[in-house]
């Protein structure tokens, strides 16, 4: 399950395209080097001190801060940080395709679009309503398209065309962080905690919505898998799809979750990664997620682990 990089679709003598994303994709700096892309680290303020994801702030340190009830806040990359990456890439490449997180979840995408206007058609900002694994898959597809010879504008149009061909479901272990972010009231959070009610959230497109409320984690996981199966058999019937999982829990719990997903969907290659810290900041530890997204016809199946080796 690995796309040939040079077949139909383009001529490698065409413009060289650099692919840049941010750490909301979940792509680490180490993986980025193997992939030949650049990942902009997202900034965080923790107890008023500035940190950068996967640079000065590891997953372990981040969750340790949460456990200590530190004041953790997400932030946006500065325009200077974005422009510096673009300028450096354009020293070696003809064009840049920049893939930030969904404009529905952060204003950093709109900021990037505005900044790109000064580059006279050399920087293309993709707003395909993706986050986490679905965003990561878009980055891999952009890289394949670039290596096939597609130009920046073509890559942008293809990714935006298929942006909404994905579903993400998430369940939380605690409502503390939804309450902190003002998404639910303190009374509702207390009531749900007492009754062991677990919310199932959904991302389809540009925003995070409530999908269901169930009793207990076991039922929440079943609800997510049922919803994903319905998407695969109805909304995406007959299409080639990826299935992916993610977590903000301990690695052992993440491995157990991936086995549940694999058992429910045999025949699909299923990979699991920790959620990016900007997502984790708003949902807290102990969460698990599952998603599906459509393969691009122009690339075929692009296997993340094979690609990053």
């Amino acid at each position: 399950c690995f796309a040939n990089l040079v077949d139909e679709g383009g001529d490698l003598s065409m413009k060289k395209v650099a692919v840049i994303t941010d750490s909301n994709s979940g792509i680490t700096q180490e993986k980025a080097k193997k992939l030949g892309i650049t990942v902009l680290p997202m900034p965080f303020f923790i107890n008023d001190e500035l940190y950068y994801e996967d640079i000065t702030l590891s997953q372990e340190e981040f969750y340790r801060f949460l456990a200590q009830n530190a004041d953790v806040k997400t932030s946006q990359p500065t325009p200077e940080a974005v422009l510096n990456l673009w300028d450096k890439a354009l020293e070696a490449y003809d064009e840049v395709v920049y893939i930030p997180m969904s404009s529905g979840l952060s204003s950093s995408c709109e900021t990037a679009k505005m900044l790109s206007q000064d580059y006279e058609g050399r920087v293309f900002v993709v707003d395909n309503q993706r986050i986490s694994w679905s965003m990561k898959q878009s980055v891999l597809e952009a890289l394949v398209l670039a290596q096939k010879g597609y130009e920046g504008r073509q890559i942008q149009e293809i990714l935006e065309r298929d942006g909404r061909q994905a579903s993400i479901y998430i369940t939380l272990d605690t409502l503390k962080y939804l309450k902190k972010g003002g998404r639910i009231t303190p009374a509702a959070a207390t009531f749900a905690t007492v009754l062991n009610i677990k919310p199932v959230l959904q991302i389809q497109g540009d925003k995070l919505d409530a999908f269901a409320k169930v009793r207990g984690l076991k039922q929440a996981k079943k609800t997510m898998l049922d919803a994903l199966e319905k998407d695969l058999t109805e909304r995406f019937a007959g299409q080639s799809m990826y299935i992916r999982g993610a977590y903000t829990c301990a690695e052992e719990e993440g491995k157990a979750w991936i086995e549940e997903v694999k058992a429910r969907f045999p025949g699909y290659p299923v990979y699991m990664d920790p959620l990016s810290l900007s997502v984790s900041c708003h949902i807290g530890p102990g969460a698990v997620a599952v998603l599906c997204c459509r393969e691009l016809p122009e690339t075929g199946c692009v296997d993340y682990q094979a690609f990053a080796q």
Side-chain angles (χ1 to χ4, degrees), residues 110-177:
E110 290 300 327
T111 300
K113 283 184 179 181
M114 180 185 68
L115 295 173
S116 71
Q117 293 174 6
D118 292 332
Y119 281 78
E120 300 179 342
R122 297 188 70 196
V123 175
F124 300 90
V125 178
V126 176
D127 184 12
N128 64 339
Q129 313 300 332
R130 297 289 183 93
I131 185 66
S132 183
W133 252 116
S134 61
M135 180 178 171
K136 180 185 300 182
Q137 202 68 49
S138 293
V139 173
L140 302 181
E141 289 163 344
L143 187 56
V144 170
L145 290 170
Q147 292 176 336
K148 280 178 171 248
Y150 285 84
E151 296 187 6
R153 186 172 301 281
Q154 293 173 305
I155 296 171
Q156 178 192 36
E157 290 172 352
I158 290 169
L159 294 182
E160 291 183 347
R161 178 201 71 201
D162 263 43
R164 293 180 180 271
Q165 302 302 310
S167 289
I168 301 176
Y169 298 96
I170 307 170
T171 191
L172 314 182
D173 181 58
T174 174
L175 297 175
K176 173 181 176 180
Y177 300 92

Side-chain angles (χ1 to χ4, degrees), residues 193-253:
T193 301
V194 169
L195 295 181
N196 194 28
I197 293 175
K198 302 295 183 184
V200 175
L201 309 177
Q202 177 186 50
I203 301 177
Q204 284 194 3
D206 58 357
K207 57 183 178 179
L208 180 69
D209 293 314
F211 179 75
K213 298 175 184 177
V214 296
R215 294 285 292 273
L217 181 59
K218 182 177 180 180
Q219 186 60 36
K221 289 179 176 179
K222 181 180 183 302
T223 298
M224 290 195 297
L225 296 177
D226 288 346
L228 194 72
E229 183 173 347
K230 184 176 180 181
D231 285 338
L232 293 171
T233 57
E234 296 181 11
R235 181 182 171 201
F236 300 120
Q239 301 185 55
S240 296
M241 305 293 295
Y242 299 105
I243 296 179
R244 301 289 184 253
Y247 61 92
T248 66
C249 51
E251 186 175 357
E252 295 75 19
E253 295 173 63

